[in-house]
Amino acid sequence: MQNNDNKNIILTGFMGTGKTTVGKLLAKKLGRQFIDTDHLIEERQGMTIPEIFAELGEAAFRQMEADIARELGEREGLIISTGGRLMLDPANVAALSDKGRVFCLVATPQEILSRLKNDPDNRRPLLDVPNPSEQIVELLQARKRGYQRFLKLATDDRQPSDVTDSLLEFIQRNPKHFAIDNPAQPYEFIVGNGILPFTRQLAGADGMLVVITDSVVGKLYAQSCGSVDHVITIPTGGQQKTLATVQSIYDQLLEIGFDRFGTIIALGGSVVGDVSGFVAATFMRGVNLVQCPTSLLAMADTSIGGKNSLDLPQGKNLIGNFKQPTVVLADVATLSTLPPEEMLSGMAEVIKHGLLADTDLLEKIEGSTWSLQAGSFYSSPVEIQTLVAQAIQVKISFVQKDPFDLGIRSNLNLGHTFAHAIEKVSENSVRHGEAVAMGLVAAADLSMRLGHCSGQLKDRIDQVVMKVGLPNRIPAEFSPEAILEAMSLDKKRAAKSLRLVLPVQVGQVFIADDVLGSEILDTLYAMSGN
Ligand SMILES: NC(=O)c1ccc[n+]([C@@H]2O[C@H](COP(=O)([O-])OP(=O)(O)OC[C@H]3O[C@@H](n4cnc5c(N)ncnc54)[C@H](O)[C@@H]3O)[C@@H](O)[C@H]2O)c1
Ligand SMILES: [Zn+2]
């Protein structure tokens, strides 16, 4: 993985959040050059910003900002503090974030006001209005959407030196940042080792902060998120994805006075992620959501894309909605306690992502020495971080192309029509990832039978699944006929025919629209075994 060390660090945010002071301190600690874009423009023009505005006009100033963004974006190793509006222009964001990490410093309007009042250097007319506090609230609201996409760093009532220290500590963990451009809510996916303790500071919250977790993960990690207002714990296990669980969470939120300005932190695997996503989407018509996935499946797959679902007595995943998080913080250190069989279950989705788009990822898994049989699945945090980063990039590319799951995102269902049927027939005694592994092999077998892929690809998929210790055969106790029947009830079934995603080669799938039951049965019989 590329080390962050020499990447530019860009600090943005509203005036009075301390980006220049923190930037200077950070530059000193890291022995790097500091650049304040406003000062650089003033220096080059030999004029102050008010003079530039008065004599050359705002458009000229914005053009100067754009030129500087492009210029600095080409360089490395800088600490850059930007003018308050520079990062509201997507072209500037693209120029600077390509080789840099962006942090948006945030503070409450009261803190901003008191800092600006105490700043002898403050040359802005902002305070020369009858009600400066109201003016700040209004401006912050107007900027909110523009700053939405960036990783927030709360400055609270801390001294700039404290803010600098925590930023430095965070950067030194070398997390990887990925931007997700969603029309409803652009956000970042951060994967790192030991980043959970930064959750509170990175949540971007200005209201109450509530963690929703399960009984296993809560005991291990709820305390690590930093001080929060409340922790809601649901029992562990897939049976929790119900309206009854959601109702009990609503009750607790109301009891503590949680309102629409609050933020929910989903700390746990995909079950916690689904339940929390549903709650965050619906409570008071929607509150902020931060995803802190702690299982490999959640990190490499379900914490991205915003889909959540709940079960009804009539079937699994029958209701749900889209709720994008404001940020996803995936701390791979938490995987050290994930049971090996859960780790393995997540590997099935990682293999799927490798097959869908990333030859290198697939080869890495094929060449790795990790397997459940070897005792533990936990490799070094760096290796796992790379694996999660590569897998999530595949998911990101699909959800960005198809945010509402109307087209190409369905490629991510590779192996899943088989998997859901196997889970159903097994009455969920087969884990999701195990079922996906069987489903991937089944999809390859069917694809080969229908002439869409080579026997070589089918063998390759079979081998990689087996190599990591996932099942490549369907237990004989689940009859092919029962699985076929469960498949045709799959909710993703098109009106008249069974729609299946079939592999063609690594990076390419074929959507088969009318696969015959008899063809599927041939595959299911061939796969029925140990
Ligand atoms: N990929 C999909 O298609 C998809 C999408 C949404 C939901 N799901 C559902 O997600 C579930 C499986 O996902 P999951 O594995 O994330 O489920 P999960 O949330 O149930 O987590 C699995 C188990 O691991 C424990 N756990 C999680 N993180 C831990 C950690 N760091 N240390 C110790 N224990 C930890 C949990 O308490 C739980 O017992 C299935 O029910 C599946 O149906 C799947
Ligand atoms: Zn899945």
Side-chain angles (χ1 to χ4, degrees), residues 214-218 220-221 235-239 241 267-274 293-299 301-302 307-309 311 316-317 331 333-339 342-343 345-346 349 352 395 412-413 416 420 423 428 431-433 436 492:
D214 75 21
S215 49
V216 175
V217 179
L220 292 165
Y221 300 112
T236 170
Q239 317 81 286
K241 296 200 333 175
L267 174 71
S270 310
V271 172
V272 165
D274 268 4
T294 63
S295 70
L296 180 60
L297 182 71
M299 284 185 197
D301 186 1
T302 58
K307 273 205 293 187
N308 61 62
S309 60
D311 304 338
K316 285 188 75 172
N317 297 325
D331 185 349
T334 62
L335 296 178
S336 63
T337 53
L338 188 70
E342 296 294 350
M343 192 75 186
S345 183
E349 306 283 0
K352 182 191 80 179
K395 174 108 186 212
L412 294 166
N413 288 332
H416 274 62
H420 291 146
E423 283 178 282
N428 297 315
R431 276 195 176 72
H432 180 67
V436 169
K492 282 165 189 141

